[in-house]
Coordinates of all heavy atoms in Angstrom, one line a residue:
M1 N 0.8 -1.2 0.0 CA 0.0 0.0 0.0 C 0.9 1.2 0.0 O 1.8 1.3 0.8 CB -0.9 0.0 1.2 CG -1.7 1.2 1.4 SD -3.0 1.4 2.6 CE -2.5 0.2 3.9
S2 N 0.6 2.2 -0.9 CA 1.4 3.4 -0.9 C 0.9 4.4 0.2 O -0.2 4.3 0.7 CB 1.2 4.1 -2.2 OG -0.2 4.5 -2.4
R3 N 1.9 5.2 0.6 CA 1.6 6.2 1.7 C 1.0 7.4 1.1 O 1.4 7.9 0.1 CB 2.8 6.5 2.5 CG 3.3 5.3 3.2 CD 4.5 5.7 4.0 NE 4.2 6.7 5.0 CZ 4.2 6.5 6.3 NH1 4.7 5.4 6.8 NH2 3.9 7.4 7.2
F4 N 0.0 7.9 1.7 CA -0.7 9.2 1.3 C -0.1 10.3 2.1 O -0.1 10.2 3.4 CB -2.2 9.1 1.5 CG -2.9 10.3 1.1 CD1 -3.1 10.6 -0.2 CD2 -3.4 11.1 2.1 CE1 -3.8 11.8 -0.6 CE2 -4.1 12.3 1.7 CZ -4.3 12.6 0.4
R5 N 0.4 11.3 1.5 CA 1.0 12.5 2.3 C 0.2 13.7 1.9 O -0.1 14.0 0.8 CB 2.4 12.7 1.8 CG 3.3 11.5 2.2 CD 4.6 12.1 2.8 NE 5.5 10.9 3.1 CZ 5.6 10.5 4.4 NH1 5.1 11.2 5.3 NH2 6.5 9.6 4.6
L6 N -0.2 14.5 2.9 CA -0.9 15.7 2.7 C 0.1 16.8 2.3 O 1.2 16.9 2.8 CB -1.6 16.2 4.0 CG -2.7 15.3 4.5 CD1 -3.1 15.8 5.9 CD2 -3.9 15.3 3.6
P7 N -0.4 17.7 1.4 CA 0.5 18.8 1.0 C 0.8 19.7 2.2 O 0.0 19.8 3.1 CB -0.4 19.6 0.0 CG -1.4 18.6 -0.5 CD -1.6 17.6 0.6
S8 N 2.0 20.3 2.2 CA 2.4 21.0 3.4 C 1.5 22.2 3.7 O 1.3 22.6 4.9 CB 3.9 21.5 3.2 OG 4.0 22.3 2.1
L9 N 0.9 22.8 2.7 CA -0.1 23.9 2.9 C -1.2 23.4 3.8 O -1.7 24.1 4.7 CB -0.6 24.5 1.6 CG -1.6 25.6 1.7 CD1 -0.9 26.8 2.4 CD2 -2.0 26.1 0.3
I10 N -1.7 22.3 3.5 CA -2.9 21.7 4.3 C -2.5 21.5 5.7 O -3.1 21.8 6.6 CB -3.4 20.4 3.6 CG1 -4.1 20.8 2.3 CG2 -4.4 19.7 4.6 CD1 -4.5 19.6 1.5
V11 N -1.3 20.9 5.9 CA -0.7 20.6 7.2 C -0.6 21.9 8.0 O -1.0 22.0 9.1 CB 0.6 19.8 7.1 CG1 1.2 19.7 8.5 CG2 0.3 18.4 6.5
A12 N 0.0 22.9 7.4 CA 0.2 24.2 8.0 C -1.2 24.8 8.4 O -1.3 25.4 9.5 CB 1.0 25.1 7.1
S13 N -2.2 24.7 7.5 CA -3.5 25.2 7.8 C -4.1 24.5 9.0 O -4.7 25.2 9.9 CB -4.4 25.1 6.6 OG -3.9 25.8 5.6
V14 N -4.0 23.2 9.1 CA -4.5 22.5 10.1 C -3.8 22.8 11.5 O -4.5 23.0 12.5 CB -4.4 20.9 9.9 CG1 -4.7 20.1 11.2 CG2 -5.3 20.5 8.7
L15 N -2.6 23.0 11.4 CA -1.8 23.3 12.6 C -2.2 24.7 13.1 O -2.3 25.0 14.3 CB -0.3 23.3 12.4 CG 0.3 21.8 12.2 CD1 1.7 21.9 11.9 CD2 0.0 21.0 13.5
A16 N -2.4 25.7 12.2 CA -2.8 27.0 12.6 C -4.2 27.0 13.2 O -4.4 27.8 14.1 CB -2.8 27.9 11.3
L17 N -5.0 26.1 12.8 CA -6.4 26.1 13.4 C -6.4 25.3 14.7 O -7.4 25.2 15.4 CB -7.4 25.4 12.4 CG -7.7 26.3 11.2 CD1 -8.5 25.5 10.1 CD2 -8.4 27.6 11.6
W18 N -5.3 24.6 15.0 CA -5.3 23.8 16.2 C -5.4 24.6 17.5 O -5.8 24.0 18.5 CB -3.9 23.1 16.3 CG -3.9 21.8 17.2 CD1 -3.7 21.7 18.5 CD2 -4.3 20.5 16.8 NE1 -3.8 20.5 18.9 CE2 -4.2 19.7 17.9 CE3 -4.7 19.9 15.5 CZ2 -4.5 18.3 17.9 CZ3 -4.9 18.6 15.5 CH2 -4.8 17.8 16.6
V19 N -5.3 25.9 17.4 CA -5.4 26.7 18.6 C -6.9 26.6 19.2 O -7.0 26.5 20.4 CB -5.2 28.2 18.2 CG1 -5.5 29.1 19.4 CG2 -3.8 28.4 17.8
W20 N -7.9 26.5 18.4 CA -9.2 26.3 18.8 C -9.8 25.2 18.0 O -9.7 25.1 16.8 CB -10.1 27.5 18.7 CG -11.5 27.2 19.2 CD1 -11.9 27.5 20.5 CD2 -12.6 26.7 18.5 NE1 -13.2 27.1 20.7 CE2 -13.7 26.7 19.5 CE3 -12.8 26.3 17.2 CZ2 -15.0 26.2 19.1 CZ3 -14.1 25.9 16.9 CH2 -15.2 25.8 17.8
S21 N -10.4 24.2 18.6 CA -11.1 23.1 17.9 C -12.4 22.9 18.6 O -12.6 23.0 19.8 CB -10.3 21.9 17.8 OG -10.1 21.3 19.1
E22 N -13.4 22.5 17.8 CA -14.7 22.1 18.3 C -14.5 21.0 19.4 O -13.8 20.1 19.1 CB -15.6 21.7 17.2 CG -17.0 21.5 17.6 CD -17.9 21.0 16.4 OE1 -17.3 20.6 15.4 OE2 -19.1 21.1 16.6
P23 N -15.2 21.0 20.5 CA -15.1 20.0 21.5 C -15.2 18.6 20.9 O -14.5 17.7 21.3 CB -16.2 20.3 22.5 CG -16.4 21.8 22.4 CD -16.2 22.1 20.9
S24 N -16.2 18.3 20.0 CA -16.3 17.0 19.5 C -15.1 16.6 18.7 O -14.8 15.4 18.6 CB -17.6 16.9 18.7 OG -17.6 17.8 17.6
A25 N -14.5 17.5 18.0 CA -13.3 17.2 17.2 C -12.2 16.8 18.1 O -11.4 15.8 17.8 CB -12.9 18.4 16.4
R26 N -12.0 17.4 19.3 CA -11.0 17.1 20.2 C -11.2 15.6 20.7 O -10.3 14.9 20.9 CB -10.9 18.0 21.4 CG -10.4 19.4 21.0 CD -10.0 20.2 22.3 NE -11.1 20.4 23.2 CZ -11.9 21.4 23.2 NH1 -11.8 22.3 22.3 NH2 -12.9 21.5 24.1
I27 N -12.5 15.3 21.0 CA -12.8 13.9 21.5 C -12.4 12.9 20.4 O -11.8 11.9 20.7 CB -14.3 13.9 21.8 CG1 -14.6 14.7 23.0 CG2 -14.7 12.4 22.1 CD1 -16.1 15.0 23.3
V28 N -12.8 13.2 19.2 CA -12.5 12.2 18.1 C -11.0 12.0 17.9 O -10.5 10.9 17.8 CB -13.2 12.7 16.8 CG1 -12.7 11.8 15.6 CG2 -14.7 12.6 16.9
W29 N -10.2 13.1 17.8 CA -8.8 13.1 17.6 C -8.1 12.4 18.8 O -7.2 11.6 18.6 CB -8.2 14.4 17.3 CG -8.4 14.8 15.9 CD1 -9.3 15.7 15.4 CD2 -7.8 14.3 14.8 NE1 -9.2 15.8 14.1 CE2 -8.3 14.9 13.6 CE3 -6.8 13.3 14.6 CZ2 -7.9 14.6 12.3 CZ3 -6.4 13.0 13.3 CH2 -6.9 13.6 12.2
K30 N -8.6 12.6 20.0 CA -8.0 12.0 21.2 C -8.2 10.5 21.1 O -7.2 9.7 21.3 CB -8.7 12.5 22.5 CG -8.1 11.9 23.7 CD -8.8 12.6 25.0 CE -8.2 12.0 26.2 NZ -8.9 10.9 26.8
A31 N -9.3 10.1 20.7 CA -9.6 8.6 20.5 C -8.7 8.0 19.4 O -8.2 6.9 19.6 CB -11.1 8.4 20.2
L32 N -8.6 8.8 18.3 CA -7.8 8.2 17.2 C -6.3 8.1 17.7 O -5.7 7.1 17.3 CB -7.8 9.2 16.0 CG -9.2 9.2 15.3 CD1 -9.2 10.4 14.2 CD2 -9.5 7.9 14.7
Y33 N -5.8 9.0 18.4 CA -4.4 8.9 18.9 C -4.3 7.8 20.0 O -3.3 7.0 20.0 CB -3.9 10.2 19.6 CG -3.4 11.1 18.5 CD1 -4.1 12.2 18.1 CD2 -2.1 10.9 18.0 CE1 -3.6 13.1 17.1 CE2 -1.6 11.8 17.0 CZ -2.4 12.8 16.6 OH -1.9 13.7 15.6
E34 N -5.3 7.6 20.8 CA -5.3 6.5 21.8 C -5.3 5.1 21.1 O -4.7 4.2 21.6 CB -6.5 6.6 22.7 CG -6.3 7.8 23.7 CD -7.6 8.0 24.6 OE1 -8.6 7.3 24.4 OE2 -7.5 8.9 25.5
F35 N -6.0 5.0 20.0 CA -6.0 3.8 19.3 C -4.8 3.6 18.4 O -4.6 2.6 17.7 CB -7.3 3.6 18.4 CG -8.5 3.3 19.2 CD1 -9.5 4.3 19.3 CD2 -8.7 2.1 19.8 CE1 -10.7 4.0 20.1 CE2 -9.8 1.8 20.6 CZ -10.8 2.8 20.7
G36 N -4.0 4.7 18.3 CA -2.7 4.6 17.5 C -3.0 4.7 16.0 O -2.1 4.2 15.2
I37 N -4.1 5.3 15.6 CA -4.4 5.3 14.1 C -4.6 6.7 13.6 O -4.9 6.9 12.4 CB -5.7 4.5 13.8 CG1 -6.9 5.0 14.5 CG2 -5.5 3.0 14.1 CD1 -8.2 4.4 14.1
A38 N -4.3 7.7 14.4 CA -4.4 9.1 13.9 C -3.6 9.5 12.7 O -4.1 10.2 11.8 CB -4.1 10.1 15.1
E39 N -2.4 9.0 12.7 CA -1.5 9.4 11.6 C -1.9 8.7 10.2 O -1.5 9.2 9.2 CB 0.0 9.0 11.9 CG 0.6 9.9 12.9 CD 0.2 9.5 14.3 OE1 -0.3 8.4 14.6 OE2 0.5 10.3 15.3
R40 N -2.7 7.7 10.3 CA -3.2 7.1 9.0 C -4.6 7.2 8.8 O -5.2 6.4 8.1 CB -2.7 5.6 9.0 CG -3.2 4.7 10.0 CD -2.7 3.3 9.9 NE -3.4 2.4 10.7 CZ -3.1 2.0 11.9 NH1 -2.0 2.6 12.5 NH2 -3.8 1.1 12.6
T41 N -5.3 8.1 9.5 CA -6.7 8.4 9.4 C -7.0 9.7 8.6 O -6.3 10.7 8.9 CB -7.3 8.4 10.8 OG1 -7.1 7.2 11.4 CG2 -8.8 8.7 10.7
V42 N -7.9 9.7 7.7 CA -8.3 10.9 7.0 C -9.8 11.1 7.4 O -10.6 10.3 7.3 CB -8.2 10.7 5.5 CG1 -8.7 12.0 4.8 CG2 -6.8 10.5 5.1
L43 N -10.0 12.3 7.9 CA -11.4 12.7 8.2 C -11.8 13.7 7.2 O -11.0 14.7 6.9 CB -11.5 13.3 9.7 CG -11.1 12.3 10.8 CD1 -11.2 13.0 12.1 CD2 -12.0 11.1 10.8
W44 N -13.0 13.6 6.7 CA -13.4 14.5 5.7 C -14.8 15.1 6.2 O -15.7 14.4 6.4 CB -13.6 13.9 4.3 CG -14.3 14.7 3.3 CD1 -15.6 14.7 2.9 CD2 -13.6 15.7 2.5 NE1 -15.8 15.6 1.9 CE2 -14.6 16.3 1.7 CE3 -12.3 16.2 2.4 CZ2 -14.3 17.3 0.8 CZ3 -12.0 17.2 1.5 CH2 -13.0 17.7 0.7
N45 N -14.8 16.4 6.3 CA -16.1 17.1 6.7 C -17.0 16.9 5.5 O -16.7 17.2 4.4 CB -15.9 18.6 6.9 CG -15.1 18.8 8.2 OD1 -15.2 18.0 9.1 ND2 -14.5 19.9 8.3
T46 N -18.2 16.4 5.8 CA -19.1 16.2 4.7 C -19.5 17.5 4.0 O -19.8 17.5 2.8 CB -20.4 15.5 5.2 OG1 -20.0 14.3 5.8 CG2 -21.4 15.3 4.1
F47 N -19.5 18.6 4.8 CA -19.8 19.9 4.2 C -18.6 20.8 4.1 O -17.9 20.9 5.1 CB -21.0 20.5 5.0 CG -22.2 19.7 4.9 CD1 -22.5 18.8 5.8 CD2 -23.1 19.9 3.8 CE1 -23.7 18.0 5.7 CE2 -24.2 19.1 3.7 CZ -24.5 18.2 4.6
A48 N -18.4 21.4 3.0 CA -17.2 22.2 2.8 C -17.2 23.5 3.7 O -16.2 23.9 4.1 CB -17.1 22.7 1.3
F49 N -18.4 23.9 4.1 CA -18.5 25.1 5.0 C -19.3 24.7 6.2 O -20.2 23.9 6.1 CB -19.1 26.2 4.2 CG -18.4 26.6 3.0 CD1 -18.8 26.2 1.7 CD2 -17.2 27.3 3.1 CE1 -18.1 26.6 0.6 CE2 -16.4 27.7 2.0 CZ -16.9 27.3 0.7
H50 N -18.9 25.3 7.3 CA -19.6 25.0 8.6 C -20.9 25.7 8.6 O -21.0 26.9 8.5 CB -18.7 25.5 9.7 CG -19.3 25.4 11.1 ND1 -19.3 24.2 11.7 CD2 -19.9 26.3 11.8 CE1 -19.9 24.3 12.9 NE2 -20.3 25.6 13.0
Q51 N -22.0 24.9 8.8 CA -23.3 25.5 8.9 C -23.5 25.9 10.3 O -23.3 25.1 11.2 CB -24.4 24.5 8.5 CG -24.5 24.2 7.0 CD -23.4 23.4 6.4 OE1 -22.9 22.5 7.1 NE2 -23.0 23.7 5.2
H52 N -23.9 27.1 10.5 CA -24.1 27.6 11.9 C -25.3 28.5 11.9 O -25.9 29.0 10.9 CB -22.9 28.4 12.4 CG -22.5 29.5 11.5 ND1 -23.1 30.7 11.6 CD2 -21.5 29.6 10.6 CE1 -22.5 31.5 10.7 NE2 -21.5 30.8 10.1
K53 N -25.8 28.8 13.1 CA -27.0 29.7 13.3 C -26.5 31.1 12.9 O -25.3 31.5 13.1 CB -27.4 29.7 14.7 CG -28.0 28.4 15.1 CD -28.4 28.3 16.6 CE -28.8 26.9 17.0 NZ -29.0 26.8 18.4
P54 N -27.4 31.9 12.3 CA -26.9 33.3 11.8 C -26.3 34.1 13.0 O -26.9 34.2 14.1 CB -28.3 33.9 11.4 CG -29.1 32.7 11.0 CD -28.7 31.6 11.9
G55 N -25.1 34.6 12.7 CA -24.5 35.4 13.7 C -23.9 34.7 14.9 O -23.3 35.3 15.8
E56 N -23.9 33.3 14.8 CA -23.3 32.5 15.9 C -22.4 31.4 15.3 O -22.8 30.3 15.1 CB -24.4 31.9 16.7 CG -25.4 32.8 17.4 CD -26.5 32.1 18.2 OE1 -26.1 31.2 19.0 OE2 -27.6 32.3 17.9
P57 N -21.2 31.9 14.9 CA -20.3 31.0 14.2 C -19.8 29.7 15.0 O -19.4 28.7 14.3 CB -19.1 31.8 13.9 CG -19.1 32.9 14.9 CD -20.5 33.2 15.2
Y58 N -20.0 29.6 16.3 CA -19.5 28.5 17.1 C -20.7 27.5 17.4 O -20.6 26.7 18.3 CB -18.8 28.9 18.3 CG -17.6 29.7 18.0 CD1 -17.5 31.0 18.3 CD2 -16.5 29.1 17.3 CE1 -16.3 31.7 18.0 CE2 -15.3 29.8 17.0 CZ -15.3 31.1 17.4 OH -14.1 31.8 17.1
T59 N -21.8 27.6 16.6 CA -22.9 26.8 16.8 C -23.0 25.8 15.6 O -22.3 26.0 14.6 CB -24.2 27.5 16.9 OG1 -24.4 28.3 15.7 CG2 -24.2 28.5 18.1
N60 N -23.9 24.9 15.6 CA -24.1 23.9 14.5 C -25.6 24.0 14.2 O -26.4 24.3 15.0 CB -23.8 22.5 14.9 CG -22.3 22.3 15.1 OD1 -21.5 22.7 14.3 ND2 -21.9 21.7 16.3
R61 N -25.9 23.7 12.9 CA -27.3 23.5 12.5 C -27.3 22.5 11.4 O -26.3 22.1 10.8 CB -27.9 24.8 12.0 CG -27.2 25.3 10.7 CD -28.1 26.5 10.2 NE -27.4 27.1 9.0 CZ -27.3 26.6 7.8 NH1 -27.9 25.4 7.5 NH2 -26.7 27.2 6.8
T62 N -28.5 21.9 11.2 CA -28.7 20.9 10.2 C -28.6 21.6 8.8 O -29.2 22.7 8.6 CB -30.1 20.3 10.3 OG1 -30.1 19.7 11.6 CG2 -30.2 19.2 9.2
P63 N -27.8 21.0 7.9 CA -27.7 21.7 6.5 C -29.0 21.6 5.8 O -29.8 20.7 5.9 CB -26.6 20.8 5.8 CG -26.3 19.6 6.7 CD -27.0 19.9 8.0
R64 N -29.2 22.6 5.0 CA -30.4 22.7 4.1 C -30.2 21.7 3.0 O -29.1 21.3 2.6 CB -30.6 24.0 3.6 CG -30.9 25.1 4.7 CD -31.2 26.5 4.0 NE -30.2 26.8 3.0 CZ -29.2 27.7 3.2 NH1 -29.0 28.2 4.3 NH2 -28.4 27.9 2.1
S65 N -31.3 21.3 2.3 CA -31.2 20.4 1.2 C -30.4 20.9 0.1 O -29.6 20.2 -0.6 CB -32.6 20.0 0.7 OG -33.3 21.1 0.3
D66 N -30.4 22.2 -0.2 CA -29.6 22.8 -1.3 C -28.1 22.7 -0.9 O -27.2 22.5 -1.8 CB -29.9 24.2 -1.6 CG -29.8 25.2 -0.4 OD1 -30.1 24.8 0.7 OD2 -29.2 26.3 -0.7
E67 N -27.7 22.8 0.4 CA -26.4 22.6 0.8 C -25.9 21.2 0.7 O -24.8 20.9 0.3 CB -26.2 23.1 2.3 CG -26.4 24.6 2.4 CD -26.6 25.0 3.8 OE1 -27.0 24.3 4.7 OE2 -26.2 26.2 4.1
V68 N -26.8 20.3 1.0 CA -26.5 18.8 0.8 C -26.1 18.6 -0.7 O -25.1 17.9 -1.0 CB -27.6 17.9 1.3 CG1 -27.4 16.5 0.9 CG2 -27.8 18.1 2.8
E69 N -27.0 19.0 -1.5 CA -26.8 18.8 -3.0 C -25.5 19.4 -3.5 O -24.8 18.8 -4.3 CB -28.0 19.4 -3.8 CG -29.2 18.5 -3.7 CD -30.4 19.2 -4.4 OE1 -30.2 19.9 -5.4 OE2 -31.6 19.0 -4.0
A70 N -25.2 20.6 -3.0 CA -24.0 21.3 -3.4 C -22.7 20.6 -3.0 O -21.7 20.7 -3.7 CB -24.0 22.8 -2.9
N71 N -22.8 19.9 -1.9 CA -21.6 19.2 -1.4 C -21.4 17.8 -2.0 O -20.4 17.1 -1.8 CB -21.6 19.2 0.1 CG -21.1 20.5 0.6 OD1 -19.9 20.7 0.7 ND2 -22.1 21.3 1.0
E72 N -22.5 17.2 -2.6 CA -22.4 15.8 -3.1 C -21.2 15.6 -4.1 O -20.5 14.6 -4.0 CB -23.7 15.4 -3.8 CG -24.8 15.1 -2.7 CD -26.1 14.8 -3.4 OE1 -26.3 14.9 -4.6 OE2 -27.0 14.3 -2.6
R73 N -21.0 16.6 -5.0 CA -19.9 16.4 -6.0 C -18.6 16.5 -5.3 O -17.6 15.7 -5.6 CB -20.0 17.5 -7.0 CG -18.9 17.3 -8.1 CD -19.2 18.2 -9.3 NE -18.1 17.9 -10.3 CZ -17.2 18.7 -10.6 NH1 -17.0 19.8 -10.0 NH2 -16.3 18.3 -11.6
A74 N -18.4 17.4 -4.3 CA -17.1 17.5 -3.6 C -16.8 16.2 -2.8 O -15.7 15.7 -2.8 CB -17.2 18.7 -2.6
D75 N -17.9 15.6 -2.3 CA -17.7 14.3 -1.5 C -17.2 13.2 -2.4 O -16.4 12.5 -2.1 CB -19.0 14.0 -0.8 CG -19.4 14.8 0.4 OD1 -18.5 15.5 0.8 OD2 -20.5 14.8 0.8
R76 N -17.9 13.2 -3.6 CA -17.5 12.1 -4.6 C -16.0 12.3 -5.0 O -15.2 11.4 -5.1 CB -18.4 12.2 -5.8 CG -19.7 11.4 -5.6 CD -20.4 11.2 -7.0 NE -20.6 12.4 -7.7 CZ -21.6 13.2 -7.5 NH1 -22.5 13.0 -6.6 NH2 -21.8 14.3 -8.3
L77 N -15.6 13.6 -5.3 CA -14.3 13.8 -5.7 C -13.3 13.5 -4.6 O -12.2 12.9 -4.9 CB -14.1 15.3 -6.2 CG -14.8 15.7 -7.4 CD1 -14.8 17.2 -7.6 CD2 -14.3 15.0 -8.7
A78 N -13.6 13.8 -3.4 CA -12.7 13.5 -2.3 C -12.6 12.0 -2.2 O -11.4 11.5 -2.0 CB -13.2 14.2 -1.0
G79 N -13.7 11.3 -2.2 CA -13.6 9.9 -2.1 C -12.8 9.2 -3.2 O -12.0 8.3 -2.9
D80 N -13.0 9.7 -4.4 CA -12.2 9.1 -5.5 C -10.8 9.4 -5.4 O -9.9 8.5 -5.6 CB -12.7 9.8 -6.8 CG -14.1 9.4 -7.2 OD1 -14.7 8.4 -6.6 OD2 -14.7 10.0 -8.1
A81 N -10.4 10.6 -4.9 CA -9.0 10.9 -4.7 C -8.3 10.1 -3.6 O -7.2 9.6 -3.8 CB -8.8 12.4 -4.4
L82 N -9.1 9.9 -2.6 CA -8.5 9.1 -1.5 C -8.4 7.6 -1.9 O -7.3 6.9 -1.6 CB -9.4 9.2 -0.2 CG -9.3 10.5 0.5 CD1 -10.3 10.6 1.6 CD2 -7.9 10.8 1.0
R83 N -9.3 7.1 -2.6 CA -9.3 5.7 -3.1 C -8.1 5.5 -4.1 O -7.3 4.5 -4.0 CB -10.6 5.2 -3.7 CG -11.6 4.9 -2.7 CD -12.8 4.3 -3.4 NE -13.6 5.3 -4.1 CZ -14.4 6.1 -3.5 NH1 -14.6 6.1 -2.2 NH2 -15.1 7.0 -4.2
A84 N -7.9 6.5 -4.9 CA -6.8 6.5 -5.9 C -5.4 6.5 -5.1 O -4.5 5.8 -5.5 CB -6.9 7.6 -6.9
A85 N -5.4 7.3 -4.1 CA -4.1 7.5 -3.3 C -3.7 6.2 -2.5 O -2.6 5.9 -2.4 CB -4.2 8.7 -2.4
A86 N -4.8 5.5 -2.1 CA -4.6 4.3 -1.3 C -4.3 3.0 -2.2 O -3.8 2.0 -1.7 CB -5.8 4.0 -0.5
A87 N -4.5 3.2 -3.5 CA -4.4 2.0 -4.4 C -2.9 1.8 -4.7 O -2.0 2.5 -4.6 CB -5.1 2.3 -5.7

């Protein structure tokens, strides 16, 4: 199996955002590290943009149907790219 490496720009962006993370993300990453699989795990947000309540960026809301449709192509492309990289 070939190794998949993230471009350095993505890694730098992730590290820059590490200052604050959503509590559920911290729980997931902690578990991945505890299981020893964090370095070989790829998590993909289903939605390219964070849906939140108007004026409250640190909240969550259910995506609208138009947002779901808009993200379907991005999800397919990401899945295809990851499968190709793992082949």
Side-chain angles (χ1 to χ4, degrees):
M1 174 174 25
S2 64
R3 291 183 66 116
F4 179 75
R5 297 220 181 258
L6 292 173
S8 59
L9 178 61
I10 292 173
V11 173
S13 298
V14 169
L15 292 175
L17 292 173
W18 201 270
V19 174
W20 184 88
S21 65
E22 184 182 20
S24 59
R26 287 195 306 268
I27 293 167
V28 170
W29 280 106
K30 181 176 184 267
L32 292 173
Y33 276 103
E34 287 173 356
F35 286 112
I37 60 172
E39 288 81 11
R40 62 179 192 271
T41 301
V42 175
L43 300 177
W44 173 260
N45 291 334
T46 300
F47 295 94
F49 301 101
H50 176 80
Q51 285 76 35
H52 56 81
K53 296 175 185 174
E56 299 179 55
Y58 298 113
T59 62
N60 292 309
R61 67 169 172 78
T62 303
R64 300 182 312 258
S65 59
D66 63 315
E67 293 168 330
V68 171
E69 289 177 27
N71 281 281
E72 286 177 349
R73 183 166 186 254
D75 288 344
R76 277 194 306 277
L77 291 171
D80 292 346
L82 290 172
R83 281 187 289 281

